[in-house]
Amino acid sequence: FESTLNALITAHGIETSLVFLDEKGHKGIDLGVNLETTDSLFQISLTPLNPILAYRKFNVNADNHITINQKDHIQANMNLLADDGTALRLYSLPDTNAEQDITLSITNFNLGELSNVLPFMPMITGMLNGDIHAVKETEQATLSVDMDVKEMGYEGSPLGDIGLGLIYFPNNDGSHLVDGILSQNQRDIILVNGRYWTENEEGQIEAEAHLQRLPLNMANGFITDNLARLEGYISGILDVRGPVS
């Protein structure tokens, strides 16, 4: 493969471009990122308006930007849309009661094509859809993740339709809470909840993972050279408590 990275330092920032050609000469990436700074803000924009990502040509809105001001407030309006419906969208909502409201939305993203572009990435296949949503109110921030991959595979081993639901939120006592669900073929297989806090300047954690007939064959793709093959299911509760160090 061949990768070319160009960078130009200007009076107001940096202009960069990356081109990736695979071993067959097919263009997997053709993307530029411009960074512009002023006394009051930092702005990122994409070029050209028809970049290539994971071998797929996208159209980008001409006014695309991610802007961060001196108070670390983020404004975003970045839409990448391909002819086949693949879409990446990063946007903020200014007209809400929250101090910050930003969402990353992913539609019909082919993970196999992405794996082909990144030479040292393991082969992950499937179609990714979902949203990552972050909200900040005063000094507290919450994060929610809702993702699913249709017909996911890892290194040739099929995993099925995989779903992930995750939410993070801070508690009033200063601790941090996480709840998550991992599903396979629309059936919950792992339920996770955890809490992290600081006590006497030392990090503490308590977490539980409920395994609900977790298929062991999901691990086969991670076993090198097929040295072993797993079958069956595992159920139970994994409980972790104590200091982090």
Side-chain angles (χ1 to χ4, degrees), residues 13-232:
I14 301 175
E15 298 177 0
T16 65
S17 64
L18 173 64
V19 175
F20 171 85
L21 301 176
D22 64 17
E23 64 277 5
K24 297 181 180 180
H26 298 150
K27 187 177 292 186
I29 298 176
D30 185 356
L31 177 67
V33 179
N34 293 343
L35 311 177
E36 183 177 352
T37 61
T38 68
D39 293 338
S40 59
L41 58 83
F42 177 83
Q43 182 166 288
I44 302 172
S45 60
L46 299 182
T47 60
L49 296 183
N50 55 348
I52 294 175
L53 287 172
Y55 296 97
R56 197 170 303 279
K57 182 176 288 187
F58 288 83
N59 294 312
V60 183
N61 54 312
D63 60 344
N64 77 86
H65 70 275
I66 302 173
T67 303
I68 307 173
N69 64 19
Q70 289 179 324
K71 296 182 180 180
D72 294 330
H73 183 79
I74 301 174
Q75 291 183 332
N77 179 25
M78 192 170 286
N79 302 311
L80 293 86
L81 178 63
D83 292 338
D84 66 347
T86 302
L88 298 172
R89 187 182 182 205
L90 181 67
Y91 60 95
S92 58
L93 298 177
D95 299 326
T96 66
N97 295 326
E99 180 180 335
Q100 182 73 68
D101 191 328
I102 190 167
T103 300
L104 172 63
S105 181
I106 303 172
T107 305
N108 294 335
F109 196 86
N110 191 318
L111 295 178
E113 292 179 349
L114 179 64
S115 296
N116 287 330
V117 170
L118 303 178
F120 303 105
M121 180 177 175
M123 177 51 66
I124 300 174
T125 56
M127 300 299 291
L128 174 64
N129 292 271
D131 297 286
I132 301 174
H133 185 206
V135 177
K136 182 180 180 182
E137 298 182 11
T138 60
E139 296 299 322
Q140 293 188 336
T142 62
L143 178 70
S144 62
V145 178
D146 185 8
M147 292 283 179
D148 67 81
V149 182
K150 297 296 183 183
E151 299 181 356
M152 186 175 182
Y154 185 89
E155 292 292 342
S157 180
L159 300 178
D161 295 342
I162 301 298
L164 174 65
L166 183 71
I167 184 169
Y168 156 81
F169 54 95
N171 209 357
N172 292 330
D173 61 5
S175 61
H176 305 268
L177 306 178
V178 174
D179 283 306
I181 299 175
L182 182 68
S183 65
Q184 182 196 47
N185 300 329
Q186 291 74 52
R187 184 181 68 85
D188 296 344
I189 55 176
I190 301 179
L191 306 178
V192 177
N193 62 80
R195 175 172 171 259
Y196 174 85
W197 73 99
T198 301
E199 185 176 301
N200 297 326
E201 299 184 352
E202 185 175 24
Q204 303 285 332
I205 188 173
E206 56 182 24
E208 281 188 353
H210 294 252
L211 311 182
Q212 303 184 152
R213 284 181 59 81
L214 173 67
L216 291 176
N217 61 10
M218 293 182 67
N220 287 334
F222 301 92
I223 301 176
T224 58
D225 300 324
N226 291 320
L227 294 177
R229 304 296 292 176
L230 300 179
E231 296 293 341

